[in-house]
């Protein structure tokens, strides 16, 4: 890939004070990653699933010091998509930022004369379709896929891992290395924006996406247009349960566990589900990420999954990168970001009522 080699001196000077805070907060020595990435749970994950997850990534609002509006938006999209595709691994997000800054200065570049067809933030060339390479979340997913498939990437210097993925003209990734410090500053600012009400939820306990008074539901949320009638009714009923307690084996009306909530929600539409996540994993019909509709079930391993390939937790997809579930006794029934909800893995997507819509 062709690096831009542009200077970050202005932004670094503007971020000196921030760098001190970043170092204190622990963002600079970031290499190592989450437990999930160290164990290789994402290695071999399908590109289709990463592209879907990237498409569900939300974008934190807010300025990024030293960047113009386009760059700030692109930085936020890179971080959010990298989090969605890596289980919120900060090292993956920081490497992605380092590469995108080096390759394009976080400007989504179209075809340029003499650039041999390289496109987008990462200057990809034939990694996906041109549309994917020009879409910031999708191009981030293409990059993350190659990084996570790189054996032992967690143990390499981040710029060497980047070079092994990008195959730029700079031996050893020296073009990326000079922007490693800057990428930590950018990541810290984007994550700080994520603490603001209505942002993505990165940095917010349990990935809650909206204010505590709304139990994580972002301000202004409405059921997405085009949702089939029964599915929309299920979502509306589920939203009315926000804030209720989590109690194991409960199915309402004042408390729920995860499968009890989904069972009770779909019962209001006349659809019977078993009160067990593993059973719900096989009920209704399987749906692809592209066909997922608000009201459909999202099943994950959970913290205590019954066994390999069997779901341990289930939630109701709300659209807009949001999932509602009875989380645990501490959080109760609340809304989380898609990337937080599936950060431990994705077992199945099910439509309990395929005849609706």
């Amino acid at each position: 890939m062709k690096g831009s080699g542009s200077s970050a001196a202005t932004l670094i000077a503007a971020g000196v004070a921030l760098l001190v805070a970043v170092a204190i907060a622990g963002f600079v020595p970031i290499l190592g990653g989450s437990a999930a990435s160290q164990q290789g749970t994402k290695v071999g994950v399908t590109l289709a699933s990463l592209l879907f997850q990237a498409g569900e990534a939300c974008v934190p609002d807010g300025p990024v010091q030293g960047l113009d509006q386009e760059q700030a938006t692109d930085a936020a999209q890179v971080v959010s998509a990298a989090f969605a595709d890596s289980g919120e691994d900060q090292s993956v997000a920081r490497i992605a930022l380092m590469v995108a800054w080096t390759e394009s200065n976080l400007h989504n570049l179209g075809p340029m004369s003499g650039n041999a067809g390289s496109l987008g933030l990462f200057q990809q060339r034939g990694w996906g379709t041109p549309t994917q390479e020009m879409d910031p979340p999708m191009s981030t997913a293409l990059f993350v896929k190659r990084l996570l498939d790189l054996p032992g990437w967690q143990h390499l210097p981040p710029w060497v891992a980047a070079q092994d993925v990008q195959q730029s003209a700079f031996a050893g990734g020296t073009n990326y290395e000079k922007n490693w410090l800057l990428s930590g500053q950018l990541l810290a600012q984007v994550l700080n924006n994520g603490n603001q009400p209505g942002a993505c939820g990165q940095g917010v306990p349990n990935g809650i996406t909206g204010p505590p008074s709304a139990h994580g539901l972002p301000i202004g949320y409405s059921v997405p247009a085009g949702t089939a009638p029964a599915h929309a009714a299920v979502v509306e009923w589920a939203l009315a349960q926000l804030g209720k307690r989590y109690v194991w084996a409960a199915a309402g009306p004042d408390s729920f566990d995860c499968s009890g909530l989904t069972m009770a929600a779909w019962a209001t539409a006349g659809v019977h589900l078993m009160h067990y996540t593993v059973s719900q994993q096989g009920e209704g019909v399987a749906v692809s990420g592209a066909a997922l509709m608000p009201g459909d079930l999202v099943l994950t391993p959970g913290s205590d999954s019954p066994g390999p390939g069997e779901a341990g937790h289930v939630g109701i997809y709300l659209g807009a990168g949001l999932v509602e579930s009875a989380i645990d006794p501490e959080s109760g029934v609340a809304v989380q970001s898609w990337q937080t909800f599936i950060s431990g893995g994705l077992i199945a997507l099910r439509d309990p009522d395929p005849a609706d819509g």
Side-chain angles (χ1 to χ4, degrees):
M1 295 301 155
K2 178 178 179 293
S4 66
S6 57
S7 171
T10 301
L11 199 154
I12 290 176
V16 170
L18 174 66
L19 178 59
V20 175
V22 168
I24 294 172
F27 282 113
V28 170
I30 207 166
L31 189 63
S34 68
S37 69
Q38 289 177 359
Q39 294 167 5
T41 57
K42 290 286 183 178
V43 173
V45 70
T46 66
L47 178 59
S49 67
L50 288 188
L51 291 174
F52 169 66
Q53 289 162 209
E56 288 299 298
C58 49
V59 180
D61 293 325
V64 177
Q65 187 176 15
L67 301 186
D68 61 31
Q69 183 174 352
E70 178 191 352
Q71 291 172 310
T73 298
D74 288 340
Q77 291 188 86
V78 166
V79 171
S80 185
F83 269 31
D85 286 337
S86 69
E88 302 202 17
D89 188 327
Q90 291 185 13
S91 61
V92 172
R94 184 171 174 184
I95 292 172
L97 278 174
M98 174 183 66
V99 170
W101 179 269
T102 304
E103 296 287 353
S104 66
N105 276 130
L106 286 169
H107 288 293
N108 201 25
L109 301 176
M112 294 186 295
S113 176
N115 205 27
S118 298
L119 297 174
L121 296 177
F122 296 87
Q123 289 295 277
Q124 293 164 348
R125 190 180 308 161
W127 288 20
T129 67
T131 298
Q132 290 170 338
E133 293 171 353
M134 285 297 297
D135 181 86
M138 297 300 181
S139 64
T140 301
L142 293 169
F143 173 81
V144 169
K145 167 67 174 171
R146 293 193 175 207
L147 176 65
L148 296 183
D149 280 347
L150 181 67
W153 70 268
Q154 307 96 321
H155 309 296
L156 297 173
W159 43 91
V160 173
Q163 171 64 9
D164 287 348
V165 170
Q166 294 288 107
Q167 295 294 303
S168 77
F170 296 81
T174 54
N175 55 326
Y176 304 119
E177 182 180 8
K178 67 181 181 181
N179 292 320
W180 178 241
L181 181 64
L182 173 63
S183 67
Q185 298 175 357
L186 295 175
L187 178 63
Q189 290 195 72
V190 171
L191 294 184
N192 183 62
N193 289 340
N195 284 311
Q196 304 305 314
C200 283
Q202 287 93 351
V204 180
N206 292 324
I208 300 300
T209 58
S213 61
H215 309 288
L217 186 69
I219 296 170
Y221 169 86
S222 61
V223 179
T227 302
H231 284 70
V234 165
V235 171
E236 294 286 5
W237 185 90
L239 293 175
Q241 314 313 309
L242 287 173
K244 292 187 176 180
R245 295 183 303 147
Y246 175 100
V247 175
W248 184 80
D254 299 318
S255 57
F256 299 89
D257 67 3
C258 65
S259 60
L261 177 67
T262 52
M263 180 184 72
W266 272 101
T268 66
V271 176
H272 175 72
L273 300 176
M274 297 295 290
H275 191 176
Y276 183 38
T277 55
V278 176
S279 296
Q280 292 184 12
Q281 180 179 334
E283 294 182 302
V285 299
V287 293
S288 67
L292 191 65
M293 181 183 295
D296 288 346
L297 305 184
V298 183
L299 297 109
T300 70
S303 59
D304 188 21
S305 186
E310 295 185 333
H313 190 59
V314 60
I316 297 171
Y317 181 62
L318 303 180
L322 304 170
V323 183
E324 176 183 345
S325 71
I327 299 174
D328 55 31
E330 178 182 357
S331 301
V333 179
V335 175
Q336 293 174 292
S337 65
W338 169 269
Q339 57 263 48
T340 295
F341 191 82
I342 67 162
S343 61
L346 178 63
I347 296 290
L349 303 173
R350 306 293 297 189
D351 182 353
D353 186 10
D356 182 41

